[in-house]
Amino acid sequence: MGRTAIPGAVWYECNRMLDNYELQKLALQDLKTGIYDGYQGRNQTLGRERQESYIGTEEQAAIGGGGSVHHSKMDSAVEKLTGWEVTELERDIQRIDEVIKHLTPRQKQFFRLHYEEHLTIGDCGLRMSYSRDRVHTIKREVIEKTAIRLGYIR
């Protein structure tokens, strides 16, 4: 890969996304679990009310509507699962997953050490048996691939 100029703001954003990758995965899992748990909890407390809340076709015609409380709770859960926060987290995670999938073994090792284990550049160099300059080059390659995947540079 040729050396493409990476603007400072792009470098910062890509590095931030890589730094937060593991946290974003956990946040997404927690968010989804909270939505599912909230839906399940409300569903269990409905008990008999769920059956009683259904309005038959005759009553529907008389009052102009009806339906199940269960469906409205499910609609709420689906709406939350497809909401902006969940969608953005999923999109960011998928984009970083794509970057990781296309890293070389050496770049993957760096990613694991630096972004997952949070080792410094110097400690990564010691673990990888590379100089600090070589590790900085590898980091630059990872940032560049990320910036290209995110569409910040070509």
Side-chain angles (χ1 to χ4, degrees):
M1 183 175 282
R3 289 188 59 103
T4 303
I6 303 172
V10 171
W11 179 280
Y12 176 81
E13 178 63 14
C14 291
N15 193 53
R16 185 194 63 77
M17 287 186 76
L18 294 169
D19 265 337
N20 293 330
Y21 173 70
E22 290 298 318
L23 289 174
Q24 285 183 317
K25 287 188 347 186
L26 291 172
L28 180 62
Q29 181 180 353
D30 287 349
L31 195 58
K32 283 184 173 184
T33 299
I35 292 168
Y36 290 136
D37 289 350
Y39 171 70
Q40 290 297 337
R42 282 180 283 187
N43 240 1
Q44 291 171 359
T45 60
L46 288 174
R48 198 183 72 183
E49 298 168 20
R50 190 177 337 158
Q51 292 175 335
E52 293 174 358
S53 70
Y54 184 77
I55 299 173
T57 55
E58 291 174 14
E59 289 98 352
Q60 272 184 346
I63 61 173
S68 166
V69 170
H70 174 70
H71 289 296
S72 65
K73 299 296 183 189
M74 183 171 30
D75 291 344
S76 175
V78 168
E79 195 173 296
K80 288 178 183 175
L81 285 171
T82 57
W84 179 84
E85 188 175 7
V86 172
T87 308
E88 286 294 307
L89 278 172
E90 286 177 333
R91 181 184 58 102
D92 288 348
I93 290 167
Q94 287 172 353
R95 290 161 70 184
I96 300 302
D97 284 342
E98 278 296 310
V99 171
I100 294 168
K101 188 167 72 173
H102 292 96
L103 294 177
T104 66
R106 176 181 58 228
Q107 292 166 342
K108 285 180 183 175
Q109 181 185 18
F110 168 78
F111 178 86
R112 184 180 51 77
L113 294 172
H114 188 64
Y115 292 111
E116 292 178 356
E117 295 182 24
H118 304 289
L119 296 181
T120 65
I121 295 294
D123 289 339
C124 288
L126 290 173
R127 292 275 290 275
M128 297 173 74
S129 299
Y130 288 130
S131 69
R132 287 177 67 92
D133 287 345
R134 182 66 190 127
V135 175
H136 276 291
T137 301
I138 295 168
K139 180 175 183 172
R140 187 192 187 297
E141 293 167 355
V142 171
I143 298 279
E144 183 177 2
K145 284 184 177 184
T146 304
I148 291 168
R149 175 62 185 102
L150 297 177
Y152 294 141
I153 61 174
R154 293 179 200 227

